[in-house]
């Protein structure tokens, strides 16, 4: 699970290095497209047996996946990776918190809210409010991803819904990223870069998390997933040379603690923690 967290965030950082050549949305299009193709070959979903409700849920999930990735990429053009992941992580956290109405959940929500409030009130010169708004919208799509993933999982056996949803996400991203992605025609080496991002950010974590959930409780899984904002900050520093301000680091810490605390308390109460959105 720890390797998966690191892989996702370093994949995001590597993807950011391709923005100048492929554009933010072009990178998203190639990544989800390659991931859809590879997972379709690996999973081979039995589509003929799907009910209409499964198709509807899988298509809506694909729209959420596209929205999450497109909005995150657009935010990353102007906002450091660690900040984008911190703000967008509020979507999954909100889903987890609204599932119960205990006082402790309110305290976790206030802690996370305080972290994001720090970013909005003191964003710093390198963090425009417009970028923060895009990250927040990505978080809303992340919340939809969680709810729709649960819906698809209840309608489709195994993991057959994932390649279908990624295919839909590719179609949604196509009009936004086609122009940028076309750069691979004149420079095929860029396709290798996009493929590595697909491997690091989607395919590799998918396999690792599937193996992890067979070996560890969902409580532990959720707590480790809460390390994503911290891993994003480290990846942004090492790959992109993005130095976060003390305010950003404080906000990241508050959101991470709130997410880990909410996950642990929900597991103790007997409810399942929310999964984080696959980036």
């Amino acid at each position: 699970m720890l390797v998966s967290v690191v892989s996702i965030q370093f994949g995001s950082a590597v993807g950011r290095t391709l923005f100048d050549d492929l554009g933010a949305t072009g990178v998203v299009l190639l990544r989800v497209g390659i991931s859809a193709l590879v997972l379709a070959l690996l999973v081979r979903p039995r589509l003929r047996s799907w009910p209409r409700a499964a198709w509807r849920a899988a298509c809506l999930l694909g729209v959420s996946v596209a929205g999450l990735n497109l909005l995150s990429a657009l935010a990353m053009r102007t906002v450091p990776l660690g900040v984008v992941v911190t703000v967008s992580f509020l979507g999954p956290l909100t889903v987890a918190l609204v599932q119960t109405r205990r006082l402790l959940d309110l305290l976790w929500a206030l802690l996370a809210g305080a972290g994001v409030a720090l970013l909005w009130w003191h964003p710093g010169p390198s963090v425009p409010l417009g970028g923060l708004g895009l990250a927040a919208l990505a978080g809303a799509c992340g919340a939809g991803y969680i709810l729709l993933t649960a819906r698809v999982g209840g309608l489709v056996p195994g993991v057959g819904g994932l390649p279908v949803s990624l295919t839909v996400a590719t179609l949604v991203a196509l009009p936004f990223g086609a122009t940028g992605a076309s750069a691979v025609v004149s420079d095929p080496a860029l396709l290798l870069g996009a493929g590595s991002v697909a491997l690091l950010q989607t395919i590799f974590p998918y396999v690792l998390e599937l193996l992890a959930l067979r070996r560890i409780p969902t409580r532990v899984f959720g707590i480790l997933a809460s390390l994503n904002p911290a891993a994003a900050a480290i990846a942004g520093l090492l790959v992109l040379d993005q130095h976060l301000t003390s305010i950003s680091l404080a906000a990241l810490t508050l959101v991470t603690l709130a997410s880990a605390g909410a996950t642990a308390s929900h597991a103790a109460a007997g409810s399942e923690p929310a999964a984080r959105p696959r980036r």
Side-chain angles (χ1 to χ4, degrees), residues 82-187:
V83 175
V84 172
V85 175
T86 298
V87 175
S88 62
F89 213 71
L90 287 184
L93 179 59
T94 300
V95 172
L97 292 174
V98 299
Q99 291 175 350
T100 62
R101 289 173 172 79
R102 297 175 300 147
L103 177 60
L104 186 58
D105 291 323
L106 176 61
L107 296 178
W108 294 129
L110 290 175
L111 185 64
V116 176
L118 282 175
L119 291 175
W120 284 101
W121 291 337
H122 302 284
S126 62
V127 184
L129 291 178
L132 289 178
L134 289 171
L137 289 174
C141 291
Y145 167 91
I146 292 170
L147 298 174
L148 289 165
T149 296
R151 175 65 174 163
V152 172
L155 294 169
V156 180
V159 292
L162 184 58
V164 174
S165 296
L166 285 173
T167 300
V168 173
T170 302
L171 294 175
V172 174
L174 184 61
F176 301 98
T179 300
S182 64
V184 299
V185 176
S186 57
D187 189 357

Side-chain angles (χ1 to χ4, degrees), residues 220-265:
V220 178
F221 181 94
I223 292 173
L224 293 176
S226 303
L227 297 175
N228 272 283
I234 295 172
L237 175 63
L238 296 180
V239 178
L240 304 172
D241 196 29
Q242 294 178 340
H243 296 262
L244 299 184
T245 65
S246 57
I247 294 295
S248 297
L249 289 173
L252 181 153
T253 300
L254 291 175
V255 172
T256 299
L257 290 175
S259 182
T263 300
S265 62

Side-chain angles (χ1 to χ4, degrees), residues 14-30:
V14 172
R16 177 63 180 85
T17 65
L18 299 173
F19 280 13
D20 290 342
D21 296 308
L22 297 170
T25 55
V27 173
V28 171
L29 172 61
L30 290 173

